[in-house]
């Protein structure tokens, strides 16, 4: 959001964005500023490559020539003439003055005059440039924060992964010792069939192998 005040004119532009695969621009450009649409779109396209972008405008023209006042003289003449006739007929004081006449509905009408397009275009360009610059600064700051959060998470995952890498080679040997002890306990002195024991350990080792998962996770990191 940014405001520029120059040449008796004030404009405020606010930009809001959300993530989107493509660049979609939605502007709330007042009718009086419709001739500046190309500036708005070109400035955004030069600074942004993607996102759903909403642009809001608040524009005030406080210059002396911003409004024109016209008088309905036909209506004013009728009011003055009828006022005089009423005074003459009823013999009363005529206190119908100019102020009263100007306050009467439809005697005066105020219309917006045409604006100086060159001044307005310069104003819009300056404000759009600063607003987009502020937007990108905010996005960079937010991106840096998200980057640090992701780095902290990745470091934590990597720490656990290193623990897994140290632990994984010991699992099969521990299983061999554990199953061997159980068999000896059950058989109570009977000689163990080493071939069958090795087959059982090999089967477990195949099931417990996480090398592929560790490599994949390392790649993701």
């Amino acid at each position: 959001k940014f405001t520029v005040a120059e040449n008796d004119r004030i404009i405020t532009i606010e930009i809001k964005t959300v993530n989107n695969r493509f660049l979609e621009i939605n502007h709330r450009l007042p009718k009086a500023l419709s001739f500046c649409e190309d500036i708005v779109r070109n400035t955004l396209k030069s600074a942004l490559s993607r996102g759903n972008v909403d642009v809001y405008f608040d524009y005030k023209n406080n210059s002396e020539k911003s409004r024109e006042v016209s008088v309905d003289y036909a209506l004013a003449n009728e009011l003055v003439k009828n006022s005089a006739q009423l005074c003459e007929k009823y013999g009363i004081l005529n206190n119908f003055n100019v102020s009263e006449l100007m306050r009467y509905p439809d005697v005066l009408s105020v219309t917006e005059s045409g604006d100086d397009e060159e001044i307005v275009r310069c104003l819009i360009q300056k404000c759009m440039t600063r607003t987009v610059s502020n937007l990108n600064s905010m996005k960079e700051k937010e991106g840096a924060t998200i980057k640090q959060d992701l780095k902290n998470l990745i470091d934590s995952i990597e720490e656990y992964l290193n623990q897994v890498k140290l632990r994984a080679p010991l699992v099969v040997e521990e299983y061999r010792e554990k199953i061997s002890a159980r068999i000896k306990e059950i058989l109570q002195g009977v000689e163990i069939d080493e071939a069958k024991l090795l087959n059982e350990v090999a089967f477990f080792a195949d099931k417990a192998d996480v090398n592929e998962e560790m490599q994949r996770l390392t790649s993701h990191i």
Side-chain angles (χ1 to χ4, degrees):
K1 185 176 182 178
F2 194 77
T3 299
V4 173
E6 289 181 1
N7 297 308
D8 298 319
R9 294 165 175 82
I10 302 175
I11 185 163
T12 299
I13 300 178
E14 182 177 0
I15 301 177
K16 296 182 179 180
T17 65
V18 294
N19 190 33
N20 193 1
R21 185 178 177 184
F22 306 103
L23 179 61
E24 294 186 5
I25 300 172
N26 307 298
H27 59 73
R28 308 291 190 273
L29 196 64
K31 187 176 181 181
L33 303 179
S34 59
F35 59 89
C36 296
E37 182 177 357
D38 60 326
I39 295 177
V40 175
R41 290 191 170 275
N42 291 338
T43 304
L44 289 170
K45 288 179 180 179
S46 66
L48 304 175
S49 60
R50 59 184 292 168
N52 196 319
V53 185
D54 291 315
V55 192
Y56 303 89
F57 300 84
D58 183 22
Y59 176 66
K60 293 182 177 65
N61 182 359
N62 298 320
S63 63
E64 293 181 358
K65 298 181 179 180
S66 63
R67 296 172 182 83
E68 294 180 351
V69 179
S70 58
V71 181
D72 188 336
Y73 288 103
L75 176 59
N77 288 336
E78 286 298 312
L79 290 170
V80 172
K81 182 177 68 173
N82 282 278
S83 175
Q85 290 174 350
L86 286 170
C87 291
E88 182 180 349
K89 181 174 182 179
Y90 294 106
I92 57 177
L93 179 66
N94 189 348
N95 63 352
F96 189 62
N97 55 35
V98 174
S99 297
E100 294 288 339
L101 183 62
M102 292 176 65
R103 283 197 293 267
Y104 196 89
D106 300 327
V107 170
L108 298 183
S109 59
V110 181
T111 57
E112 299 288 336
S113 61
D115 211 335
D116 188 319
E117 292 192 5
E118 186 60 31
I119 291 178
V120 176
R121 288 179 71 87
C122 291
L123 198 66
I124 292 283
Q125 182 66 75
K126 181 179 292 186
C127 195
M128 277 296 301
T129 301
R130 289 296 301 272
T131 308
V132 170
S133 177
N134 288 349
L135 173 68
N136 280 335
S137 295
M138 183 193 70
K139 290 166 74 70
E140 288 175 2
K141 183 177 180 181
E142 183 181 10
T145 301
I146 294 173
K147 178 182 178 180
Q148 186 59 48
D149 287 343
L150 288 174
K151 185 178 184 303
N152 292 340
L153 290 170
I154 291 172
D155 289 345
S156 179
I157 292 172
E158 193 167 29
E159 181 180 348
Y160 284 118
L161 178 59
N162 289 333
Q163 294 179 25
V164 172
K165 289 179 178 179
L166 293 174
R167 173 69 178 153
L170 306 177
V171 173
V172 174
E173 180 59 27
E174 288 179 357
Y175 178 78
R176 189 192 70 78
E177 293 176 358
K178 183 177 180 180
I179 195 172
S180 177
R182 288 179 60 191
I183 292 173
K184 287 179 180 179
E185 180 182 353
I186 293 172
L187 296 181
Q188 297 180 352
V190 178
E191 186 177 351
I192 299 175
D193 188 333
E194 288 293 336
K196 289 184 178 181
L197 178 61
L198 290 175
N199 285 337
E200 175 65 25
V201 172
F203 178 73
F204 174 79
D206 185 62
K207 288 178 61 179
D209 184 16
V210 291
N211 285 326
E212 183 180 345
E213 286 75 11
M214 289 190 296
Q215 290 175 2
R216 186 180 298 114
L217 187 52
T218 300
S219 175
H220 288 320
I221 291 173

